[in-house]
Amino acid sequence: MTIKRMDNVLIVVDDLEAVKAFFIELGLTLEGQTDVEGPEVGRLIGLGDVRATLAMLRTPDGQGIELDKFHTPPAVRSGPVDAPVNTLGLRRIMFSVEDIEAVVARMQAHGAALIGRMQYGQSYKLAYIRGPEGLIVGLAEQLG
C-alpha cells in the first residue's frame, strides 16, 4: 500500500479569520498559523510570487483542514459563492457529530445557513449547512 493516511484538505479562502472561527466553533482545534512565501513555495504549487497565510485545523481524531489566504497572487473565484452541492469539484466536508440539533443551532447562531436535513432510516440524522464563503459542511449523527 502506498498511502498511509489522508493528512489534510486544503480550502482557499478570502476571509481567513471568519472561516477559521467557523471551524473552531464547529469543534476543530487551531493547530497553528504561519505565513509562507518565496520561490520554493511557488515552485511547489506552480505559482509565481507567492505570499500566503496558512492556518491548520484538526478534528478531535486528528484529521486536518488547511485554510490558505493568498495575498499574492490573489485567489481566483471559479464560480458563485453559493454554488449548489452538485457543482463539479470538491463541494462539501462531512463531520460526525453528537447532538446534531444542538450543533446546527450553534452554527446557525454563528452565521451558518441550514441547507437541509433528513433522517436516513434508523441509522443517521443528516444536515447540510452553508458557512462563510459558501462552504458546505455536512453533519452526521449516528443513531442507536
Side-chain angles (χ1 to χ4, degrees):
M1 178 181 279
T2 58
I3 294 177
K4 293 184 190 179
R5 69 176 187 275
M6 185 182 79
D7 190 58
N8 68 65
V9 173
L10 167 66
I11 303 173
V12 177
V13 301
D14 189 40
D15 188 341
L16 180 62
E17 293 306 312
V19 178
K20 190 169 60 172
F22 175 82
F23 282 114
I24 289 170
E25 181 67 27
L26 190 57
L28 279 74
T29 302
L30 179 64
E31 184 175 85
Q33 183 169 315
T34 191
D35 293 319
V36 297
E37 62 184 314
E40 287 185 27
V41 175
R43 279 192 299 276
L44 173 65
I45 64 175
L47 295 173
D49 190 28
V50 173
R51 188 171 61 83
T53 302
L54 287 60
M56 180 59 71
L57 298 128
R58 295 270 175 207
T59 61
D61 68 344
Q63 302 303 309
I65 294 179
E66 180 181 327
L67 304 176
D68 286 13
K69 162 68 176 171
F70 281 86
H71 305 289
T72 61
V76 176
R77 186 167 305 282
S78 63
V81 172
D82 60 350
V85 75
N86 66 336
T87 301
L88 293 174
L90 182 62
R91 293 307 312 145
R92 76 135 167 86
I93 301 171
M94 178 75 80
F95 295 101
S96 175
V97 300
E98 293 180 9
D99 194 359
I100 195 168
E101 302 304 329
V103 173
V104 168
R106 190 174 80 240
M107 298 312 297
Q108 285 178 306
H110 195 73
L114 177 66
I115 296 171
R117 66 175 87 208
M118 67 171 279
Q119 185 164 324
Y120 185 72
Q122 298 302 310
S123 301
Y124 285 94
K125 286 185 179 179
L126 303 167
Y128 274 27
I129 59 174
R130 190 179 298 273
E133 301 194 22
L135 294 171
I136 298 173
V137 172
L139 305 171
E141 178 183 2
Q142 189 169 4
L143 302 174

